[in-house]
Amino acid sequence: MLTLKKLKGLELNVRIISPRQSLIEEIIPHLKHSERDYSSSLVVFPGRRPSHFLRKALSGKIKSGFIPPVIHSMDDFIDALYEEKVLKPRRRLETIDAVSILYDIQKEASTPLGGEGFMTLESFFPLGLKIYRDIEELYIEDINPDLVKEIEPFIEEGLPDKTVKRLQSLSHFYKEFYRAIEEGGFSTRSLRYRTVSAEIEEAELYSYKRIIFAGFFAFTRSEKALFRKILSWDNTLFLFQDGKGMKERLSDLGLSMDGEKGEEVEQAIYFYRSPDTHGQVFGLTRILKTKLEEGIPMDERTVIVLPSSETLFPLLRQTLSLFDEGDYNISLGYPLHRTPVFGFLNNLMELITSRDGDRLYIPDYLKFVLHPYTKNIYFKGDPEITRILFHTIEEELIKCRTKTFTTPVEIEGNEELFRKILERVPRNEGITKKLLRAHLGTIHENTVEKFLSFENIHDFTVKCIELLTYIFNNSTARFHPLFHPSLDVFIKALYTIQKSLMKDRAFTEINSYFTLFRKYIMTCHVPFEGTPIRGLQVLGFLETRNLSFERVLILDTNEEIIPDTRKEDTLLPLRAREILGLPTYMDRDNLTAYYFDSLLKRAKEIYLFFVEDDRKEKSRLVEKLLWEKQKKDKTAEAKEYLRSLQYRVTLKNKLPCEIKKTEGMIQFLRDHSYTATALDDYLKCQLKFYYGSILDIGRKEEISGDIEKADIGKFVHAALSKYFLRRKNYPLKEEDINLKEMDLLTDEFFDGVYGSNPAGATYLLKKQIKNHLKDFLKDYTIPLIKEKSITILDIERDIEISRNSFKLKGRLDSIEKRGEEIFIIDYKTSSNADYLKIDFDRLDINSRETWSEAIGSLQLPFYLLLYSKRRERIKDLNGIFLLLGRAVINRDIEIPLFDNQEKAGKRFELFKKVIFRLLEEIVDPTSPFRPTENRKELCPLCDFQYICGTQWVIK
C-alpha cells in the first residue's frame, strides 16, 4: 500500500512511497505519453540497473511495441547535460590520466608528498588514486582549497605534524590539479556535476513533459544545489522511498515530512549460519533445489545477492548449475585481477622479471607454458600436439632439476626433445621435427620474446593487445568459461592506458611496466551487466538499489562485508572530514543500512546467510533483525531463529585395504627384477611396494628453483665416483689423494649442472660441498690409507644375478679391498644411521613380525648377495654405509654391516633367508599386499598417502 507523506511546500512534485511499494511500478502512472510513445518522459535513477526493470515493466503493461522513456543514471544525466550545455565540451579524464597529471605535480612540488618514497610513477600510482578520489570528493562538495590547508586550528585535539603536512600537500594537489585540467581542456566527474548544478536552466529540458527523479537517498552538495533548482519546475517529480534516515536526507533539500508508518506486511525471514563460504552456497543450493522440485518458479522475482564478489565462482559452480544458462542473470562487478586472463599475463610477467639476461628461470617458464591458454595453442588446428610438446618439455627439464635457467634457443635446438615429441604424437600425419620446432619458435616469438623490451607505455599496451589477440585467435581460450567478458575488459583497459596521458612515458626497468599495469588492473572490474532481464537474478548489493523482489537470498551478511566497515581509503582524517562536511564511514554505513532495509521490506521471503567462526561474525544489520524478532516474540533467546549449515563429516579415518594378487600380477612378479630399495619398501609397507614397483607410480618431479636433498646426493655420488674411478686397481698412497683435483672436479660438475656463475644459495652450496668433499679426503680417506692397504676394485658397478628363480639387480657405489677383506661401500648423504641399522638381538628368523622392526635396511646384505656369487668366502666380505652428511668427517662416519667377522657367515645366511622368504612371500598368490602397522612413522612421509587415504596420520 502506498503511504503518502505530507510535505511542507512542493507537495505537487514530491512523492514519498512506502518501502514496501515497488518504486518501478509507482513510476509508470506518472509517465507522460502519447499512445505508446513515452519518449516525452525522462527518468533518472541513482544507478543504471533499474532502467532495465522499468522497460520490462512497461513491456508487460503495454504488451506490444512501444517507444520507451529516456532513462538515465545520475552520472549519465549529468554527462548528457554537460555535453549539450558546454559549447566545446572538455574530454572527460580517465582515472589514469588524472594520476598522470598528479604525478607531474608531485615531481614539480618543492616538498613532494611522501618525500622520495613516491617519486617514481609506479610507486606513486596507488597514492595518486587516493589523492584523486579525495580532491574529486572535495570538488563535488564545493570545498575551498584554502580551507583544507588551514583546517588544523578547527580541530581541538590538534593534528600530528605528518598529518598537517599531508593536508597541506593535498591542498596543493587540489589547487594545481584543477588549474592543470582547465589549461589542458579536460573535465572530471566532479567538474561536470558542479558545472551542471550551477548553470542548469529549465529551458534546457523543455522537450520533456515529465522529468522523474526516483530512488535517491544520499546527496552531494552539487546534487543538492541541482535538485533545489529542479524541485521548482512544473514538469518534475521526485519519488523517494521511505526508510531509515530519509527524514534527515530530505531536510538537506529544504523539505520536511510527517505522516504515519505504513501497515506491516507479514514476512518469512530465515537466518542461516555456516562455518565457511561453501557451506552458505551448499545451503542456498538445497533451498533452491527444493523450491524447483516443488514447482515454484525461480524467475526475476527472486534475487540472490552477493555483497562479496568472491562468492560468485562457488555460486556458479554449485548453485547455478541447477539452471540452464538462459534461466539466470548476473549483474555485478568482479575483480579483473582474479580472472584467468590476468593469471596468464601475470605468469608471463613473472617469467620476464625472473630471467637472467637471455636465460629464463625454468620454474617460471614451465608455469607459463603449462597455463591452459598457452598449452592449448593450435598446431594445424589441434591443441593436442601443443600439449604433448609442452608436457614433454616439462619432463625433459625436470630430468635436470638442478639446472634452473635455460633459453628459448636451447629448448628449440634440443634434437632429443623433438624426437620424443614425435614418438608421442598419436597421428603423425606430415608432422616433422622442423614443423614442431617452428611451432615452438612461433609461440616463443608471440609471447616471451614480445615482452623482452618496450619503448614506452604505449608500446607495452600494444604488445599486450597483440598477445591477447594471438591467444584468442590461436588457442582454445575463447571457449573457456567467462573468457570473453574478462578479455573485453582487459582490451578496454589496455586501450585506456594506450590513449592516456601516460602513453609516452618510458621506464628504465622493464619490471616497472609490469608493476604499473598490475596496480592499474587492481582498480578494474569485469561488469556482468545482466541483460536482458529474465530468470533468477544474481546481483551485487548496490545493483539491488530501487528494485523489488518477492524472494531475497543474501549471502555473506557478515560484519565488514555488509556494511563494509573497513577503514576509509582517504588522506583526510575523520575529524577533518566532519569539519569539512564530507561523508564519513558512518554515512556509508547508514547508506548501506537504508538499501538493505529497503530491499528486505519489499520481500515476502528472506534468507540471510552468514559465516560464523572465531574470526567472522554476523552483520549488525542481521543482529538488528534478530532483535526485532525477539521483541515481537517476547523472547530473550536468539538461537531458536538460527539454522546451522553443517557438513556431514565422518571423523572415523578409514584404514587402507589389503590388495589381493591376480594371476597376471603373479606372473609379473615372477618375471620382475628386484632391487634392494624394492625389498626395503616391501619390508616396511607392502602397499608402498605395490604402488611403486608393480604399478610403477612415482611422485611427479617438479622444478621448484630450490636445491633439493636428492640433487645434492646425486651430485656427491657422481663427484666421488669420477674421482675414485681414476684410482682403480692399484694400492692407494697418500700422495694419490689430490685435494686440488677434487676442487677442480667439483667446479666441473657444478658448471655442468648449475651453470658457471652460481649465485646466492647455489654459490653457498657449491662452497659447502667443496669443503665437505675435501674434508672427506683429508680426514677420512688419508687416515684410512695410512692405516691399511686400500685398493679400489670397482666404481658404480651394475650387477644382475638370477638365484632361486628370482632376478636380482643393483648398483654398487664402490668396491674396495682393505687388507685381505673386500668391502661394499654405499655413500649416504644423510647424517642419521638409525634408519639403516639392523638389530640382531631383536631379529627372529622364525617370527615374521620382528623383521620390519629389527631391519633398518636390507641394502648392504642385498649387495653382498649380489657380489658373493663371485666369492664363496663370506667371512672376507663386508659392507659399509658412509654417512657423508655428518657435520664432522672422520672414521666415525662408517656404519659396517658386520662388526664381528667371526659371526659374518652365520649372519649372512640369516639375511639370505630373510631376502628369499620375502621374495617367496611376494609371489605367493595367497598372501595379499597389506598396509603397514607402523603408520605413525611411515605414512606421513610416504608419496602414496593420498592414494591409501592415510594423509590424516601425523607423527
Side-chain angles (χ1 to χ4, degrees):
M1 174 181 176
L2 178 65
T3 305
L4 293 177
K5 308 286 186 175
K6 295 181 180 179
L7 292 114
K8 298 175 182 177
L10 303 169
E11 292 91 344
L12 295 177
N13 57 359
V14 176
R15 296 287 184 274
I16 300 177
I17 65 173
S18 163
R20 295 178 179 83
Q21 294 294 111
S22 167
L23 181 68
I24 300 298
E25 293 295 335
E26 182 61 24
I27 289 171
I28 294 175
H30 298 286
L31 295 173
K32 299 292 184 182
H33 59 97
S34 174
E35 295 185 348
R36 296 195 301 273
D37 183 356
Y38 288 79
S39 60
S40 61
S41 292
L42 167 66
V43 183
V44 182
F45 292 107
R48 292 192 174 99
R49 186 73 184 163
S51 63
H52 306 306
F53 283 82
L54 178 56
R55 293 189 192 96
K56 184 176 179 65
L58 278 170
S59 175
K61 180 179 179 179
I62 298 170
K63 301 187 184 307
S64 65
F66 67 99
I67 301 174
V70 177
I71 310 174
H72 284 314
S73 68
M74 188 62 186
D75 280 355
D76 292 339
F77 173 67
I78 294 295
D79 283 340
L81 283 177
Y82 180 84
E83 298 289 341
E84 184 177 323
K85 184 175 186 60
V86 179
L87 293 177
K88 293 183 178 180
R90 300 173 179 180
R91 178 170 78 85
R92 181 167 174 170
L93 281 179
E94 297 288 346
T95 300
I96 195 167
D97 295 318
V99 174
S100 182
I101 294 172
L102 291 168
Y103 177 60
D104 288 333
I105 297 171
Q106 167 83 343
K107 288 195 300 180
E108 295 167 5
S110 56
T111 55
L113 183 57
E116 295 298 317
F118 299 98
M119 293 307 289
T120 62
L121 179 56
E122 65 271 26
S123 64
F124 177 79
F125 192 84
L127 177 63
L129 291 174
K130 288 185 181 182
I131 295 171
Y132 183 53
R133 280 194 293 266
D134 280 348
I135 62 176
E136 274 285 88
E137 189 176 13
L138 291 166
Y139 198 83
I140 202 171
E141 297 289 353
D142 199 14
I143 306 297
N144 189 307
D146 292 328
L147 182 58
V148 178
K149 185 177 182 180
E150 299 167 1
I151 197 172
E152 186 189 5
F154 298 96
I155 301 180
E156 295 175 3
E157 63 270 23
L159 293 173
D161 290 340
K162 287 185 178 179
T163 304
V164 173
K165 290 178 181 177
R166 193 165 68 230
L167 290 175
Q168 291 172 346
S169 295
L170 188 62
S171 174
H172 174 70
F173 278 112
Y174 188 13
K175 283 182 179 179
E176 294 302 317
F177 177 79
Y178 290 101
R179 182 184 301 163
I181 67 170
E182 178 79 24
E183 294 171 357
F186 301 114
S187 65
T188 67
R189 176 178 180 272
S190 293
L191 186 145
R192 291 184 169 212
Y193 265 79
R194 271 185 52 176
T195 300
V196 170
S197 64
E199 301 176 15
I200 191 171
E201 296 176 3
E202 186 173 2
E204 294 168 354
L205 295 170
Y206 72 94
S207 60
Y208 296 109
K209 295 180 181 178
R210 173 69 76 196
I211 302 172
I212 300 174
F213 288 84
F216 286 84
F217 178 74
F219 319 107
T220 64
R221 289 183 189 172
S222 294
E223 288 173 319
K224 291 172 190 174
L226 176 66
F227 287 170
R228 288 190 186 108
K229 287 185 179 180
I230 297 176
L231 274 167
S232 62
W233 299 354
D234 293 337
N235 62 340
T236 61
L237 173 66
F238 279 77
L239 281 174
F240 296 104
Q241 200 144 25
D242 195 12
K244 182 181 178 182
M246 180 56 74
K247 184 175 183 179
E248 292 76 15
R249 300 301 177 187
L250 290 178
S251 67
D252 292 338
L253 299 177
L255 303 172
S256 60
M257 69 179 196
D258 53 22
E260 297 179 358
K261 291 184 178 181
E263 60 187 52
E264 293 290 329
V265 176
E266 191 66 31
Q267 292 180 306
I269 305 180
Y270 307 97
F271 303 89
Y272 296 88
R273 58 184 173 191
S274 168
D276 56 28
T277 296
H278 290 284
Q280 295 182 92
V281 176
F282 286 140
L284 172 66
T285 305
R286 285 203 301 266
I287 291 169
L288 294 186
K289 187 176 181 181
T290 301
K291 298 285 185 187
L292 292 172
E293 290 171 351
E294 292 173 353
I296 300 172
M298 294 294 105
D299 52 22
E300 57 271 13
R301 292 171 295 178
T302 300
V303 63
I304 299 173
V305 185
L306 301 182
S308 172
S309 60
E310 294 178 7
T311 312
L312 175 61
F313 278 91
L315 186 80
L316 274 170
R317 294 190 183 100
Q318 296 175 35
T319 309
L320 297 184
S321 63
L322 298 172
F323 303 86
D324 293 332
E325 195 169 327
D327 293 336
Y328 63 85
N329 197 284
I330 301 174
S331 178
L332 52 79
Y334 189 78
L336 194 56
H337 68 274
R338 291 183 176 273
T339 63
V341 177
F342 177 78
F344 167 75
L345 287 170
N346 195 52
N347 284 357
L348 179 55
M349 292 186 291
E350 286 180 351
L351 171 60
I352 300 302
T353 302
S354 64
R355 79 190 196 285
D356 178 20
D358 63 340
R359 301 189 308 160
L360 302 175
Y361 185 51
I362 291 175
D364 284 344
Y365 175 77
L366 292 178
K367 188 178 175 183
F368 172 68
V369 298
L370 295 178
H371 188 282
Y373 293 174
T374 316
K375 72 178 183 180
N376 284 296
I377 292 173
Y378 295 122
F379 177 84
K380 292 187 174 183
D382 185 359
E384 184 181 3
I385 305 300
T386 309
R387 290 197 295 271
I388 294 171
L389 168 70
F390 283 127
H391 281 294
T392 307
I393 289 174
E394 178 191 22
E395 290 178 13
E396 288 299 298
L397 292 176
I398 282 174
K399 285 181 181 177
C400 305
R401 287 188 299 124
T402 53
K403 184 178 180 181
T404 53
F405 287 91
T406 188
T407 65
V409 173
E410 187 178 338
I411 298 172
E412 293 168 24
N414 189 330
E415 288 292 328
E416 179 65 14
L417 168 69
F418 289 100
R419 183 189 66 77
K420 289 185 177 179
I421 295 168
L422 278 178
E423 290 176 354
R424 297 177 178 186
V425 172
R427 299 175 305 281
N428 193 347
E429 300 172 359
I431 300 176
T432 64
K433 290 182 183 178
K434 184 177 180 181
L435 287 173
L436 289 170
R437 186 177 290 108
H439 177 55
L440 179 59
T442 301
I443 294 173
H444 284 155
E445 180 183 347
N446 283 280
T447 57
V448 179
E449 293 171 13
K450 191 180 287 291
F451 269 52
L452 293 177
S453 64
F454 308 109
E455 294 178 12
N456 51 32
I457 291 176
H458 180 274
D459 183 45
F460 168 74
T461 60
V462 168
K463 289 179 176 177
C464 284
I465 292 171
E466 289 174 351
L467 169 65
L468 292 175
T469 304
Y470 171 74
I471 292 297
F472 177 82
N473 291 328
N474 296 281
S475 81
T476 62
R478 63 179 179 271
F479 302 116
H480 291 210
L482 307 178
F483 175 77
H484 280 274
S486 55
L487 178 67
D488 289 344
V489 177
F490 259 106
I491 298 296
K492 289 176 183 176
L494 288 165
Y495 274 128
T496 298
I497 301 173
Q498 190 178 112
K499 296 175 182 178
S500 73
L501 300 177
M502 286 188 183
K503 67 180 185 298
D504 296 322
R505 298 184 189 272
F507 298 113
T508 55
E509 297 291 335
I510 196 168
N511 193 39
S512 298
Y513 291 97
F514 302 150
T515 301
L516 178 67
F517 176 71
R518 288 187 182 104
K519 289 177 177 177
Y520 178 69
I521 292 301
M522 293 292 285
T523 69
C524 301
H525 289 76
V526 180
F528 292 90
E529 295 179 352
T531 54
I533 302 296
R534 67 170 181 269
L536 173 70
Q537 298 296 297
V538 180
L539 307 180
F541 180 68
L542 283 180
E543 279 75 16
T544 65
R545 289 179 299 177
N546 310 139
L547 302 179
S548 300
F549 302 96
E550 291 183 6
R551 186 177 296 107
V552 175
L553 307 100
I554 312 181
L555 297 173
D556 296 307
T557 55
N558 282 89
E559 197 69 8
E560 296 189 1
I561 295 179
I562 181 169
D564 183 355
T565 55
R566 291 172 296 180
K567 185 180 178 182
E568 289 177 300
D569 197 11
T570 175
L571 299 176
L572 290 161
L574 176 61
R575 185 63 184 131
R577 298 183 71 87
E578 290 173 339
I579 291 173
L580 294 171
L582 297 176
T584 66
Y585 72 91
M586 292 177 283
D587 295 298
R588 191 176 66 207
D589 289 354
N590 290 336
L591 184 64
T592 300
Y594 170 78
Y595 285 125
F596 182 81
D597 187 60
S598 298
L599 174 65
L600 299 193
K601 284 281 173 59
R602 298 188 289 273
K604 295 179 181 177
E605 292 179 35
I606 300 165
Y607 302 83
L608 302 174
F609 300 82
F610 53 87
V611 174
E612 201 165 59
D613 57 24
D614 57 348
R615 294 179 296 109
K616 294 183 178 180
E617 58 182 344
K618 64 181 83 68
S619 167
R620 72 190 76 164
L621 303 177
V622 175
E623 293 279 16
K624 181 186 174 186
L625 287 172
L626 281 168
W627 176 238
E628 287 174 353
K629 285 186 73 68
Q630 287 175 253
K631 287 193 296 181
K632 182 179 178 181
D633 297 342
K634 297 181 180 179
T635 177
E637 200 55 62
K639 289 182 180 179
E640 61 184 86
Y641 303 114
L642 300 178
R643 304 184 182 193
S644 295
L645 297 169
Q646 296 177 337
Y647 299 104
R648 291 182 178 178
V649 179
T650 303
L651 296 178
K652 183 180 178 182
N653 293 303
K654 289 186 178 180
L655 297 176
C657 298
E658 61 183 33
I659 297 172
K660 294 182 179 179
K661 297 169 186 173
T662 63
E663 290 184 12
M665 196 185 298
I666 296 298
Q667 187 59 48
F668 171 85
L669 292 169
R670 292 191 183 280
D671 295 336
H672 188 61
S673 293
Y674 294 91
T675 65
T677 302
L679 283 184
D680 277 347
D681 286 345
Y682 183 81
L683 189 60
K684 298 302 179 186
C685 177
Q686 296 174 20
L687 291 187
K688 184 176 183 181
F689 169 82
Y690 170 76
Y691 291 124
S693 296
I694 299 179
L695 298 186
D696 196 23
I697 299 173
R699 180 169 61 94
K700 182 181 178 181
E701 299 290 349
E702 296 179 349
I703 298 180
S704 64
D706 298 324
I707 301 166
E708 298 187 13
K709 189 175 180 180
D711 301 326
I712 298 172
K714 290 177 183 177
F715 182 90
V716 170
H717 274 68
L720 289 172
S721 296
K722 189 166 185 179
Y723 184 83
F724 285 111
L725 189 63
R726 300 170 180 174
R727 292 160 172 79
K728 277 178 57 175
N729 298 322
Y730 64 85
L732 294 177
K733 293 182 172 55
E734 184 177 351
E735 53 266 28
D736 294 324
I737 306 303
N738 188 326
L739 302 184
K740 188 174 182 180
E741 182 184 342
M742 180 60 86
D743 254 3
L744 294 173
L745 188 61
T746 307
D747 287 336
E748 178 187 328
F749 270 98
F750 242 91
D751 291 350
V753 176
Y754 296 104
S756 57
N757 295 306
T762 309
Y763 172 78
L764 293 175
L765 176 66
K766 176 180 178 180
K767 194 168 183 178
Q768 183 183 16
I769 289 178
K770 286 176 74 172
N771 290 335
H772 218 59
L773 288 175
K774 284 195 293 185
D775 288 344
F776 174 74
L777 296 177
K778 179 165 56 75
D779 299 329
Y780 174 78
T781 307
I782 291 176
L784 184 63
I785 291 171
K786 288 180 179 180
E787 182 182 323
K788 59 180 70 175
S789 174
I790 304 294
T791 301
I792 306 296
L793 300 180
D794 217 335
I795 293 291
E796 294 284 343
R797 173 70 180 276
D798 288 317
I799 300 179
E800 292 191 32
I801 67 171
S802 180
R803 184 170 291 189
N804 297 358
S805 75
F806 292 104
K807 299 173 185 176
L808 312 177
K809 66 178 181 179
R811 171 171 288 186
L812 282 55
D813 288 345
S814 179
I815 305 169
E816 301 177 7
K817 186 174 182 180
R818 299 183 178 184
E820 296 303 317
E821 294 181 83
I822 293 177
F823 285 81
I824 309 299
I825 309 298
D826 195 70
Y827 301 126
K828 296 295 183 186
T829 51
S830 170
S831 62
N832 182 16
D834 292 342
Y835 76 102
L836 301 169
K837 290 181 178 180
I838 299 172
D839 188 344
F840 290 99
D841 293 333
R842 297 176 64 186
L843 180 60
D844 182 355
I845 189 64
N846 297 314
S847 178
R848 173 66 175 83
E849 58 269 17
T850 67
W851 297 3
S852 299
E853 298 175 2
I855 300 173
S857 172
L858 283 170
Q859 193 165 8
L860 287 180
F862 189 87
Y863 287 168
L864 261 62
L865 177 63
L866 294 176
Y867 192 76
S868 67
K869 189 173 184 181
R870 302 178 53 194
R871 189 177 182 87
E872 295 301 324
R873 295 181 56 186
I874 195 66
K875 70 175 184 177
D876 297 330
L877 194 59
N878 203 343
I880 292 178
F881 289 120
L882 292 185
L883 303 182
L884 302 178
R886 291 271 175 91
V888 177
I889 299 293
N890 53 36
R891 291 295 299 279
D892 291 339
I893 68 172
E894 291 185 353
I895 308 296
L897 177 61
F898 305 129
D899 53 8
N900 186 332
Q901 283 302 115
E902 295 299 323
K903 299 180 180 179
K906 185 178 180 181
R907 287 183 173 178
F908 181 66
E909 290 302 317
L910 182 67
F911 287 134
K912 283 171 50 177
K913 288 181 180 179
V914 169
I915 290 171
F916 285 107
R917 285 190 186 180
L918 286 175
L919 291 169
E920 292 290 348
E921 186 177 290
I922 288 173
V923 298
D924 182 0
T926 64
S927 178
F929 294 115
R930 296 183 176 90
T932 181
E933 294 292 329
N934 191 11
R935 288 185 294 274
K936 189 173 182 181
E937 289 296 321
L938 300 178
C939 293
L941 301 176
C942 182
D943 293 335
F944 308 114
Q945 57 178 283
Y946 288 96
I947 298 177
C948 288
T950 56
Q951 65 271 26
W952 52 271
V953 180
I954 59 173
K955 278 199 170 188

